[in-house]
Amino acid sequence: MRISKILILFLVLSISTKAQTNFDEFCKKTFKFSTFYIAANGGTSVSDVDVFSVENGLETSIVKTPYDYNLAMGIRKIARFGYENKANTFYDGTEESWSDGANIGKVPGLEFLFEVDYTRQQGDTYLDQHHFLRYVGDNYIIKGEYLEDGFADIKYFETSERYRYKIGKKFSLNLGLAQRLSEPYGYDPLEQWVLSNGDIHYTYLALQEGYNVDVYNGEYFDPSGNLVATSKEVWESVIIPKALSDYSERKRNELENKMLQSLVVGFDFYHYKKDFWFHAWASLMPYHYDDGGSYTYHKYNNNEQWYDYSGGTIFGYKYNKHLGTFVEGKYNKYWNREWYDFKLGINYVIF
């Protein structure tokens, strides 16, 4: 019995050791060449603004905008393309690698990015997140992505499974399915408040939201009982827009996220030489399954199909050792919401 127990213990230890070794090898292989970073960046925002009032004699107040900053944390393992040079010794969280949006990476295999940014810009704060896992094989692409762009007001989780067909070494086509989970874009909480003449019954909506109006004294109070306006002009130009915005945001947040199944087709092209490079990619979703739900985007698009697409182009050309030009850009349009970046220019090295 003692020998049996020893053999069993030895077997368990062997299996555990082997499993631990395999796990260590997996982690080493997966995270090799990856970089983890935490960074903070800041700077002066817009200058102070003097505001004048003459209601009670000349009065002056100063509107101050706090400094801008960006707090970033992330980990990335994405092979750089030939035209991408690592200019900085360290990642500082402000890098923009537009090629991350391509369907395939520089090398086959697993690549990933997980980044969170908390940003304050001209007094407004935004939470941005971009996470993705991408595995590229010889004839297939699997990708999972989560994007939250506070500045563009877009947030969704997307997975896609695509068949990849290579045409030569530089060009490939892909076809597959995409699944997106997001809020029901297209839903308008204010639609039920619109009158037949196109106006909106904003006062009644505000009263339903807890605001109070003292018609006799011309005073307006918020749901907490605080005096927020003493004139109809301030009520309509300042308070009502905020009330409508708060109401719309609350009603949208009350709805559950919605899954959308779509057909996706795309291409990737990459050519690189030291004096000329061209990288282009695109994805198009021409068909979306209508599940007949109450908040499907088909309902807000006259029960018709629509096109969602994304793409990017990176071009660079060096005419000689002194003169060069470049054009870079990316564009996205989902649910009729757009977000994009671009830059172009000429460089001349003075000798």
Side-chain angles (χ1 to χ4, degrees), residues 9-25:
L9 179 60
F10 178 76
L11 180 61
V12 171
L13 290 175
S14 298
I15 295 174
S16 300
T17 302
K18 185 177 181 180
Q20 181 64 41
T21 301
N22 292 338
F23 179 75
D24 292 342
E25 290 178 354

Side-chain angles (χ1 to χ4, degrees), residues 53-65:
S53 172
V54 293
E55 289 186 0
N56 299 308
L58 180 61
E59 296 180 348
T60 305
S61 60
I62 300 176
V63 177
K64 296 185 176 182
T65 302

Side-chain angles (χ1 to χ4, degrees), residues 214-225:
D214 185 340
V215 179
Y216 181 77
N217 294 308
E219 296 178 334
Y220 303 83
F221 302 87
D222 66 13
S224 299

